[in-house]
Amino acid sequence: MEKEPEVHASGSFFVPNRKTHNMDFQSFEFHNTVAKGVKAAGYVTPTPIQEQAIPAVMQGADVMGLAQTGTGKTAAFALPILHRLMQGKRRVIRALVVAPTRELAEQIHDAINTLGQETGLRCITVYGGVNINPQKTKLKQGVEIVVACPGRLLDHLDQGTIDLKNVEVLVLDEADQMFDMGFLPAIRRILGHLPRQRQTLLFSATMPGEIKKLAADVLTEPVTVQVGNTAPATTVSHALYPVPQHLKTAMLLALLQHTDTESVLVFTRTKHRAKRLAEQLIKNSYKAASLQGNLSQNRRQEALGGFRDGTFQVLVATDIAARGIDVSQISHVINYDIPNTPEAYVHRIGRTGRAARTGDAFTLVSDDDKGLVTSIEKILGNSIERRTLEGFDLTVPAPAKNKEFSRPPRKPAPGSRPPKSGKPPARKQEAAGAAAGAAKSGKSAGQPARKKSADGSEKPRRRRPNRSRRKAPSA
């Protein structure tokens, strides 16, 4: 018998526990233009989080929605908002969605535009890393929905180029990540610019206890909808590959060579490592790109777009940059570096096994990662399989100096001439010679030589008279 999704509901509204396979999107009775967008997007059966959250949002309740990444949280708040905005004012901001990263903001924006293509509602993104002026122009022309990252939104608020006094619905998406990234002070500032009478929706993949306390300040008598445990989707299989740190790149290449992969997302802990690892994959004839914070917005979109359309087979990313990657064809997630927290593992692994598809999650672990592995296994509820790769030699000693991820030497400035090998520059030679001569004569380098008299003795120096005139004291 199929296990029923676990649903918790609290607050002024109760969300009934319906069987997902007995419902379709027509049951929600959306506005006919919204329903056309749902049909055009190919949506047929709502996911558990959509089935449980949409009725509560449509009734006007504050909602805390908890579900694994990749289960359809975006549509769970986007569809009720589009339905609501079909009535009332136009060309004023009535819905604000706040997300932690540009990629996630773009993903939400694309979903809203797809689902609302027949509504005539305008939605724009507001985030940093790009010119602010086009955003100002669009805001001035009038929009109903803004999807924003906290930093750039505060820039617009400080400059007076955005008006939030008409906001009816606030959405905090990936809220745990925003709190974890230190955006809480920015969120509180943003809240100060919003009407007190509003609907607030908080959606997240994980919700640790301390985050629930913070959410209590934002939500009023919320309906809490939790579909299953906040653990990775059951469509994902997990495996650990124990390997010394210095052999991780070789292990990654061996895994890619011996595994039937489609699109592979590789996670690293740092931006520099993501860049260098992608470069090494390219050298080994893989179509790879990196997605990390040092890239410009255009480069980030090129990398993500290329990964979506198959131009790149492998995308190497950091945790923050990977927020909002919504690519349903990802067959494998490989943790080159194990994440720092079990919650981060949930977010990473949620990139595969999306929309009921199956996926694999491989994690390369060294001896230092034992504590983190235990924490992850605890949230999964079972032990993760340990695997070895046949024919891979784990006994290769580490090099005396591992230069795998060392930064390359800086190139000389344009126009500069490097000194010839074995000889110091001419000026340095002259200075050295002057210093040696001064040492023999007992004089400091740079002191001019005195003129000598006929008998060879040095003439005493003449004192130059002070030719400056004294000014008369002012009266």
Side-chain angles (χ1 to χ4, degrees):
M1 185 175 178
E2 185 181 354
K3 188 177 178 182
E4 199 67 49
E6 179 187 359
V7 177
H8 306 283
S10 61
S12 56
F13 294 91
F14 175 73
V15 180
N17 188 0
R18 305 182 187 91
K19 292 184 178 180
T20 304
H21 55 264
N22 285 341
M23 286 195 70
D24 57 27
F25 279 96
Q26 293 181 357
S27 305
F28 298 121
E29 298 182 353
F30 291 126
H31 189 279
N32 63 338
T33 56
V34 178
K36 289 180 182 178
V38 171
K39 186 176 181 180
Y43 287 21
V44 179
T45 304
T47 64
I49 188 66
Q50 293 165 358
E51 179 188 346
Q52 307 305 329
I54 288 175
V57 178
M58 292 183 71
Q59 291 179 54
D62 282 6
V63 172
M64 180 188 294
L66 305 177
Q68 301 96 331
T69 302
T71 52
K73 295 192 303 294
T74 302
F77 63 77
L79 288 170
I81 288 175
L82 291 169
H83 173 80
R84 175 176 184 152
L85 299 188
M86 290 310 298
Q87 305 293 330
K89 294 180 181 179
R90 290 288 178 115
R91 304 302 177 252
V92 293
I93 301 171
R94 298 171 59 196
L96 172 65
V97 183
V98 184
T101 66
R102 311 173 211 173
E103 285 72 27
L104 182 56
E106 283 291 347
Q107 175 193 319
I108 296 167
H109 173 258
D110 291 344
I112 290 174
N113 281 341
T114 298
L115 296 171
Q117 57 187 286
E118 300 289 337
T119 64
L121 297 168
R122 292 181 182 177
C123 175
I124 68 163
T125 53
V126 168
Y127 50 71
V130 295
N131 193 330
I132 196 173
N133 291 325
Q135 297 173 3
K136 291 180 179 179
T137 300
K138 291 179 181 178
L139 288 168
K140 195 172 182 180
Q141 291 171 348
V143 298
E144 290 80 23
I145 306 170
V146 171
V147 184
C149 294
R152 179 54 64 87
L153 179 56
L154 286 176
D155 291 340
H156 281 284
L157 288 168
D158 291 340
Q159 296 180 32
T161 52
I162 193 168
D163 184 0
L164 302 179
K165 67 183 179 184
N166 293 300
V167 169
E168 302 171 21
V169 185
L170 167 67
V171 181
L172 301 177
D173 196 21
E174 300 283 12
D176 56 341
Q177 184 71 6
M178 283 199 289
F179 290 136
D180 197 40
M181 289 169 65
F183 283 137
L184 181 59
I187 296 298
R188 293 195 181 281
R189 280 189 60 194
I190 292 167
L191 291 173
H193 292 268
L194 298 173
R196 292 193 175 186
Q197 294 295 324
R198 66 174 187 274
Q199 183 182 22
T200 303
L201 314 175
L202 187 151
F203 285 84
S204 182
T206 63
M207 187 57 60
E210 63 270 18
I211 304 304
K212 289 183 179 179
K213 294 177 184 177
L214 294 172
D217 297 335
V218 179
L219 304 173
T220 303
E221 297 183 357
V223 172
T224 301
V225 179
Q226 180 172 333
V227 179
N229 296 319
T230 51
T234 56
T235 53
V236 180
S237 63
H238 308 259
L240 300 178
Y241 285 86
V243 60
Q245 183 69 37
H246 67 281
L247 294 178
K248 280 189 174 182
T249 301
M251 174 65 82
L252 174 63
L253 291 170
L255 280 172
L256 293 174
Q257 184 179 356
H258 293 89
T259 307
D260 184 16
T261 61
E262 297 173 14
S263 292
V264 183
L265 180 58
V266 180
F267 281 100
T268 64
R269 197 168 288 168
T270 66
K271 295 180 285 188
H272 175 68
R273 184 167 294 178
K275 177 185 175 183
R276 295 301 303 277
L277 187 58
E279 291 171 351
Q280 293 190 41
L281 289 170
I282 293 169
K283 287 180 182 178
N284 283 273
S285 302
Y286 285 97
K287 296 177 181 178
S290 68
L291 184 67
Q292 33 86 14
N294 286 342
L295 296 177
S296 66
Q297 183 59 26
N298 287 339
R299 293 281 303 279
R300 288 165 76 153
Q301 288 180 333
E302 286 175 8
L304 191 51
F307 189 52
R308 282 200 181 102
D309 63 26
T311 303
F312 302 121
Q313 179 193 2
V314 184
L315 185 66
V316 187
T318 57
D319 286 304
I320 294 176
R323 308 297 287 195
I325 293 180
D326 186 14
V327 182
S328 58
Q329 298 89 351
I330 294 177
S331 62
H332 291 73
V333 167
I334 300 179
N335 292 313
Y336 185 94
D337 296 315
I338 194 169
N340 290 323
T341 65
E343 289 77 19
Y345 183 85
V346 172
H347 282 293
R348 287 186 181 186
I349 302 312
R351 301 298 116 197
T352 189
R354 298 171 79 89
R357 291 180 174 87
T358 58
D360 293 292
F362 300 154
T363 303
L364 310 185
V365 293
S366 60
D367 291 338
D368 297 334
D369 300 327
K370 290 180 180 178
L372 289 169
V373 170
T374 301
S375 300
I376 291 169
E377 289 179 329
K378 186 176 180 181
I379 200 172
L380 291 176
N382 51 51
S383 179
I384 304 176
E385 178 188 0
R386 271 71 169 171
R387 295 182 187 174
T388 56
L389 201 58
E390 186 177 354
F392 189 86
D393 187 3
L394 294 170
T395 63
V396 176
K401 186 176 181 182
N402 192 352
K403 298 181 179 181
E404 185 178 11
F405 294 111
S406 60
R407 298 181 185 273
R410 290 185 177 180
K411 295 180 180 179
S416 63
R417 295 181 180 179
K420 295 181 180 179
S421 59
K423 293 183 180 181
R427 289 184 181 179
K428 288 187 177 180
Q429 284 184 319
E430 291 173 3
K440 288 181 180 179
S441 60
K443 298 169 190 162
S444 61
Q447 181 177 329
R450 294 183 185 180
K451 292 182 179 180
K452 294 184 179 182
S453 59
D455 60 359
S457 61
E458 292 183 354
K459 292 183 179 181
R461 285 186 178 180
R462 294 181 181 179
R463 286 192 177 183
R464 293 182 179 180
N466 187 359
R467 298 182 182 278
S468 59
R469 296 179 180 178
R470 293 184 181 180
K471 293 182 180 180
S474 57

